[in-house]
Each structure stands twice: as structure tokens, then as C-alpha cells.
Amino acid sequence: MSTDTALAAEIEDVVFQRRTGGDDAAPFELRVSSLRLHAGEAVACIGPSGSGKTTLVHLLAGILTPHAGEIRLAGARIDGLHESARRARRAREIGLVFQEFELLDYLDALDNILLPIRLGRGDLVAGAARARGLAHALGIAPLLRRVSARLSQGERQRVAIARALVTSPSLVLCDEPTGNLDPESAGSVLDLLLEQAREHEAALLMVTHDHTLLGRFDRVIDVRELARPARRGEAQP
Amino acid sequence: MSGLLYLAWRHARAHGARTALLILCIALALWVPLTAGVLARRYNTDLRARANSTPLLIGAPGNRYDLTLAALYFRPSERIETISYRALDELQAENRATCIPLHQRFTARGFPVVATSIEYAEFRDLRLAEGSDPLRIGACTLGATVAEDLGLKSGDFLYSDPTELYDIARPPALKMRISGVYAKTGGPDDGAVFCDVRTAWVLEGIAHGHVEAEEIDEALVLSRTDDSVSVSGALIEYAEVTEANEASFHYHGDTSLLPLTAVLAVPRSTKDATLLKSGVNARMPLQAVTPSAVIDDLLGVVFRVKAFFDLVGLFLVVTTAALVGLVFLLSSRLRTAEMRTLDRIGAPRSAARTLIALEVVGTLVVAACLSVSATALTLRFLPDLVASF
């Protein structure tokens, strides 16, 4: 991926700390010196459990705020924004795909896809048109009015991907969306994600434990090298 | 907010049975005290209005509640004793009040027949919707509800109800000509049949007319002599006062002893009211009562009972509110994952609370609308409690 491409997201000298247990337990700390995600770039994020992959995703999404450093989304800082502003930007500009897909069972597929637009007060008419287009591309157009509780696992995956892309986000963050899938299904979900993200020129960061999929990404980062989780008092690299 | 409102609506719709059950429970819990409260207020207002507009009632000694309820609301009572027509003359002779006779012991197709004088219509401000007042013996004027329910109008006939079906010595049912219909008043007068007191005495069997011997159908004649004719009991199936036989109607015995059930007195002043009431209670074998005081006493008892039911209603509402609160609390716990998803996607911080609140408020609003509608329907179709008191 060319470095000339526009930056979708950027992290500089971020420090994040969180208490992990009782008063005596050392707090968890994540440090990220530098991370850049370019538009249309697909990046895999690997690392062992507890190394800070999900924390990194949450920092980029604005769900968590760092104690130090800067996080930029499309060139604009989000770490200093008020929480309500961060939430609004998240709904509008970031697509999220979760491990369990997390569809709302009482909504049909179309309403699930439109959820970020409803919550972010976006243009519902334009959003619906875009949702139908995505549904067509993902092969779920005939299922739009089916309640999500009655969708198969594969259909739910596609609805979750459409939901992540419906706002035309500049950044798509995926937290182990293939974690519970067999290798064949995991590959097809990833292909769909990569295809749609590239088509919409969105940067994609996917947390994964599945090393067989890494070859399909533009870049792979190990959170231990990038972010170096450290216990307080340890010497920093 | 509109997005959350939509989600709340979809969630409620997706869980339709639960939502309907909640709405029904809340609506019922609200309907019971709401209807009871409105009914009690209306009951109170109507009863007091009628009582306050009636200055003084005079009747036979006995239960003052029976006397008042019969004379004001035409409540049928077997226990009420009659007074003589002479009492009316004596009261009028005191010249302290306009005295209106009342006789109410019979019914016509289930509606009370109120025998009185023309002054009653003036006193109650009864206006004719059609026809005329019941000036002639055997004529009657209907209250608006009676005319509406029975589909009768001026010129039609109405039969009085027989009092003793198997008593061959009974006074015959009277075929009354309807002379008019009063306009709706919204009070007990709407549900009554008004006639002259002389008509009531015909109903009592005290006054009657005779059929000319020459006019009797020969098939009904059992035997005939020079000075008498014996006829079958089938001859007199009902009595009817016509222009032809009106003159033949007469009373046997002392006319001053003819019965009344009450006298409605309209004193000329407060002083006259006091003197008349004390005079009647001290000197006459009668009782004079102030209806407003009697109704106040009665409602005092009724509203003590109502206070208990208010407490029960409050308990019902509080219990239902607690159960509904529990349902929503458990529901919100079951929806933790959903709320976390909304939070991650970028919903406002208050979205979870707002979503639950919208569902609670929506459920309450629908339930409140339902209970108000049910109350309105109940009040619309419930029989007039004052009339049936």
C-alpha cells in the first residue's frame, strides 16, 4: 500500500492504562508509538490473548480514550473530543464487526444494517438505498425483511458486514469476526470484508488469531511489537 | 431520539404478547380506580344537585332515606307508607309553601309512574318536547328516556304493569294515552312516566268507571236480570279512560283519605321552610325532611366505603407498578448484550436508559389511553346509577 494514500487513522505516542484486579495488582498498560492505517489498506492485528489487541481497536474506535498521545481519524484528533462527539463520529465514520456479529434479534436484516444510521442521525433514505446495494453485493437482498433471529450464521455474518459498511466509513474495525468459524467460512467472511472495504476505500484493521488468513492482508502487525504492553516499572524498549 | 423511538417500537412489537399483557394489566389497574372515582364524583354531583334543588319533603313517618329516595329519584320501595290527600290540603292551608302531591307506587313497562300535579313540571322545569302535560285522567307524559327506550310518542298508548298477576280482584292494568313527551333533563325525570294523581288512584283501584250495560258484548254476559248484569271476568282486561267514559270515573268513600306517597313543599321563604318543617314534625302525624341533609348523611356513609375502595385501588396500582417495574428491570438485564452493542456502535451514552424509558412510557401511555377509553365506555353504557339507586 502506497504511503501516498490518504491516512484513514493514525496513532502517535499513545499510552493507555487500566486497573486489572485488586489494589495490589499491577495495572495493564498499552503503549503505541506509531500506527498509520491508509485508506483501502487491509491490516491484520495479531498477538496473544491479553496483549492489547481489543484495547487497540477500542482506542481507534473512540470507545476508550488514551492517557497520553494522539489518535486521529481522517486527520482530525478524536482523543480530545467530548464523549458524545466521539460516539457520534464512531456511528458515522467507523464500521465495527464483532466476533458474535451482535445483531439485534428483534430487528429484521434491513433495520440491523441501518442501525448506525438511525443512531447517528444519518440520512435514512440514502442509507436505505446504500443498505440495499450492500445487501445485493453480499447476496442477502432477498432476506432484508427477515428477522435476524431467523437468519443462518452465514447470513448473519453478511448482515454484520453490511452494517459496518453502510455509513461509508473511512475505517472498519473487526474484532475477531472469524473466531468462531470453521476455516472455510472464515475465509469467505474475510474475502467479503476485504472486497467490500477495498471497494469503498475504507481502511480495515482486523484482530485475528487465525494465522492461515494473514496472507490475504496488505500488512500484518503484532501488537507486542507495535504496542508493547508493559507492566509499570518495567524498562521501556 | 427518533432512532431510539423506532427501536423501542420494534422491540415492543417483536414481544407483542408480553407488551399486550403489560398494557392490559396496567390498563385494568388504572381503569378500576379511575372509573370508581369518576362514578363516585358523578354520583355525588347528581345526587346532591337533585337534593339541593328540592327544599322540603313531607311524608309518612318512617325511614327518611326511603321517603327521600322514592320522592327524588323514584326509587321503588315497598316499605313506604302513604299519607292522605287531606294532609296536602292542611299543608296548603298553612300558606307557607307551594305543595305538590306525589304518588309513586306503580310502574309501566318497568318505568316508575309518578302521579303528581302540573306544578311538578313547572318546579322541575320540565319542558315539553312534544304534546302536552298529562292534564286528563288516564293520560300520561313520558320522560325522554322512556319515550326513547320504548319508542313511544304522543298519541300512543302505554299500559301500566299489573301488580298482582294471579289476583282476580286486582285493579286492572290501565291503558294510558300518551299526551306528550318531556325534553331530556339528564336527571331521574327522564326515566319516569308522569300522570295526574287521579290516574294513580285509578291504578290503585280506588277510582273506576263503569261500562254501560247496553254496550257489553253479549258473549261476556253470564246472566242478566232487570236490575243487574253479571259478566265474565274477561270483560275487564284493562281499563281505559276515554272521552266517552271519563265522566263515569268516580271514587268510593272519603276523597280526603285518598293516598299520596309524599308532598313536595316549596316554601316561600327560609322562615316559612323552618316553620313548616318544625310545625309538621311537632303537630302532625307526618315527617318533614330536608333532602339535602338526608343525602349528605347517606353520602357520608357511601364515601366512607369509597375511601376503603380507594385504598384498595391504590394498593392495586402500586402492586401493578411494582410488577411492571420488575418486568422492565428483568428485561433490561436480558438486554445487556444489546445495550453493549448500541454503545459500541456509537449510540448516545443515555441510549440504553432512553430505550427502556421509551418502552415504559409508551406502555404507560397506551395503557392510560386504553383505561380512559374503557372508563368512557363504561360510563356511557353503565345504567344511570342515580336512577337505579
Side-chain angles (χ1 to χ4, degrees):
Chain A
M1 179 63 56
S2 165
T3 51
D4 295 338
T5 317
L7 273 176
E10 185 179 11
I11 291 181
E12 291 290 341
D13 298 325
V14 157
V15 178
F16 175 81
Q17 293 177 333
R18 181 177 61 217
R19 288 195 173 278
T20 54
D23 292 341
D24 298 335
F28 168 84
E29 185 173 275
L30 178 67
R31 288 176 181 270
V32 181
S33 56
S34 178
L35 173 64
R36 289 183 170 80
L37 297 172
H38 297 271
E41 183 184 26
V43 178
C45 179
I46 59 170
S49 297
S51 58
K53 301 185 296 298
T54 298
T55 302
L56 179 65
V57 166
H58 286 184
L59 284 168
L60 279 166
I63 295 170
L64 297 174
T65 50
H67 293 89
E70 295 180 3
I71 300 174
R72 291 190 175 83
L73 200 62
R77 281 187 67 171
I78 61 165
D79 53 276
L81 291 176
H82 188 268
E83 188 188 357
S84 58
R86 273 188 285 120
R87 284 173 179 269
R89 287 203 70 169
R90 184 156 75 244
R92 282 197 309 270
E93 298 175 31
I94 299 174
L96 289 149
V97 183
F98 308 103
Q99 186 171 7
E100 301 294 337
F101 305 119
E102 300 188 14
L103 303 183
L104 304 195
D105 282 346
Y106 58 87
L107 295 181
D108 59 29
L110 181 61
D111 281 333
N112 263 298
I113 295 170
L114 289 173
L115 195 57
I117 291 179
R118 289 191 191 282
L119 297 175
R121 298 175 188 174
D123 183 344
L124 208 54
V125 176
R130 185 169 165 72
R132 289 179 198 285
L134 282 165
H136 184 75
L138 291 163
I140 52 170
L143 308 172
L144 283 177
R145 281 302 171 196
R146 184 175 293 181
V147 175
S148 63
R150 292 176 54 210
L151 295 174
S152 70
Q153 185 75 349
E155 290 161 351
R156 291 171 69 86
Q157 291 161 5
R158 286 167 171 77
V159 173
I161 292 168
R163 184 177 69 184
L165 296 168
V166 74
T167 54
S168 299
S170 56
L171 178 63
V172 178
L173 299 170
C174 309
D175 193 359
E176 297 189 63
T178 59
N180 290 339
L181 304 178
D182 60 82
E184 191 180 342
S185 300
S188 67
V189 168
L190 181 58
D191 287 342
L192 277 173
L193 264 170
L194 292 173
E195 181 190 329
Q196 292 297 321
R198 281 175 182 142
E199 191 178 323
H200 296 95
E201 294 191 343
L204 183 142
L205 177 73
M206 179 188 283
V207 171
T208 182
H209 285 288
D210 189 347
H211 287 231
T212 62
L213 301 173
L214 298 183
R216 305 186 193 208
F217 290 91
D218 298 323
R219 188 156 55 105
V220 178
I221 56 172
D222 187 328
V223 78
R224 287 167 298 183
E225 294 174 5
L226 175 74
R228 291 208 180 280
R231 300 291 173 191
R232 182 168 283 176
E234 281 183 6
Q236 298 300 314
Chain B
M1 176 65 93
S2 62
L4 293 175
L5 195 61
Y6 181 78
L7 290 184
W9 157 243
R10 291 303 300 262
H11 186 266
R13 210 179 74 166
H15 300 86
R18 189 210 71 167
T19 307
L21 195 62
L22 274 177
I23 287 172
L24 192 66
C25 288
I26 299 168
L28 272 175
L30 292 175
W31 173 73
V32 172
L34 188 65
T35 306
V38 174
L39 276 178
R41 269 198 301 281
R42 180 197 279 189
Y43 191 51
N44 182 23
T45 306
D46 290 353
L47 274 179
R48 283 188 199 280
R50 183 83 168 173
N52 290 340
S53 68
T54 311
L56 210 57
L57 276 176
I58 296 156
N63 190 316
R64 61 195 183 118
Y65 298 120
D66 280 345
L67 172 66
T68 306
L69 294 175
L72 262 59
Y73 313 107
F74 312 136
R75 178 192 177 215
S77 173
E78 295 296 325
R79 290 176 293 178
I80 193 161
E81 295 293 326
T82 56
I83 60 173
S84 68
Y85 195 77
R86 182 191 295 154
L88 177 73
D89 290 335
E90 289 172 4
L91 290 166
Q92 279 174 331
E94 293 210 12
N95 202 29
R96 296 191 184 280
T98 302
C99 295
I100 304 169
L102 286 172
H103 181 289
Q104 191 236 313
R105 293 177 71 175
F106 296 97
T107 58
R109 293 181 67 179
F111 293 99
V113 174
V114 179
T116 182
S117 64
I118 192 66
E119 286 83 5
Y120 183 85
E122 291 169 11
F123 171 68
R124 292 286 186 212
D125 197 22
L126 298 180
R127 297 175 191 280
L128 284 161
E130 60 178 75
S132 63
D133 289 307
L135 301 173
R136 284 176 47 189
I137 187 169
C140 67
T141 300
L142 308 182
T145 307
V146 181
E148 192 179 309
D149 288 2
L150 300 181
L152 296 172
K153 59 184 186 305
S154 298
D156 292 341
F157 292 94
L158 177 65
Y159 293 88
S160 66
D161 296 332
T163 49
E164 296 291 340
L165 195 58
Y166 300 108
D167 182 0
I168 58 169
R170 72 194 188 282
L174 183 64
K175 182 182 181 183
M176 295 183 284
R177 175 180 286 277
I178 298 167
S179 60
V181 176
Y182 287 123
K184 204 168 186 65
T185 63
D189 296 321
D190 290 340
V193 175
F194 294 94
C195 64
D196 190 86
V197 283
R198 292 171 299 165
T199 305
W201 294 330
V202 174
L203 290 168
E204 290 265 16
I206 301 168
H208 59 263
H210 291 294
V211 178
E212 291 299 324
E214 303 83 57
E215 296 172 6
I216 298 171
D217 183 350
E218 282 304 317
L220 298 171
V221 175
L222 300 176
S223 65
R224 190 187 290 271
T225 63
D226 290 342
D227 58 353
S228 70
V229 179
S230 300
V231 295
S232 164
L235 174 69
I236 307 171
E237 192 166 309
Y238 57 82
E240 180 182 358
V241 182
T242 61
E243 284 185 16
N245 71 7
E246 186 176 0
S248 74
F249 274 78
H250 59 279
Y251 314 101
H252 290 279
D254 186 353
T255 53
S256 68
L257 296 178
L258 291 170
L260 296 173
T261 52
V263 172
L264 196 163
V266 187
R268 291 175 172 79
S269 66
T270 310
K271 180 184 172 186
D272 283 333
T274 308
L275 290 172
L276 185 64
K277 186 178 178 183
S278 58
V280 167
N281 287 333
R283 290 182 281 106
M284 293 183 172
L286 303 170
Q287 68 166 331
V289 297
T290 306
S292 57
V294 176
I295 294 300
D296 279 348
D297 280 358
L298 198 62
L299 287 178
V301 176
V302 170
F303 281 90
R304 273 198 293 279
V305 176
K306 183 186 171 290
F308 169 74
F309 282 106
D310 283 346
L311 204 64
V312 173
L314 183 67
F315 179 74
L316 187 67
V317 169
V318 169
T319 307
T320 308
L323 287 172
V324 168
L326 183 67
V327 168
F328 277 107
L329 183 69
L330 294 174
S331 171
S332 68
R333 287 190 181 175
L334 286 172
R335 296 174 71 182
T336 305
E338 175 195 340
M339 300 307 171
R340 191 179 61 237
T341 302
L342 295 181
D343 191 60
R344 286 178 178 179
I345 287 175
R349 188 184 183 86
S350 59
R353 284 196 305 274
T354 308
L355 198 56
I356 299 290
L358 283 172
E359 270 204 61
V360 173
V361 170
T363 305
L364 288 176
V365 167
V366 174
C369 291
L370 193 64
S371 63
V372 168
S373 305
T375 300
L377 281 175
T378 308
L379 296 176
R380 170 74 181 79
F381 292 108
L382 199 72
D384 185 352
L385 284 188
V386 171
S388 60
F389 186 83

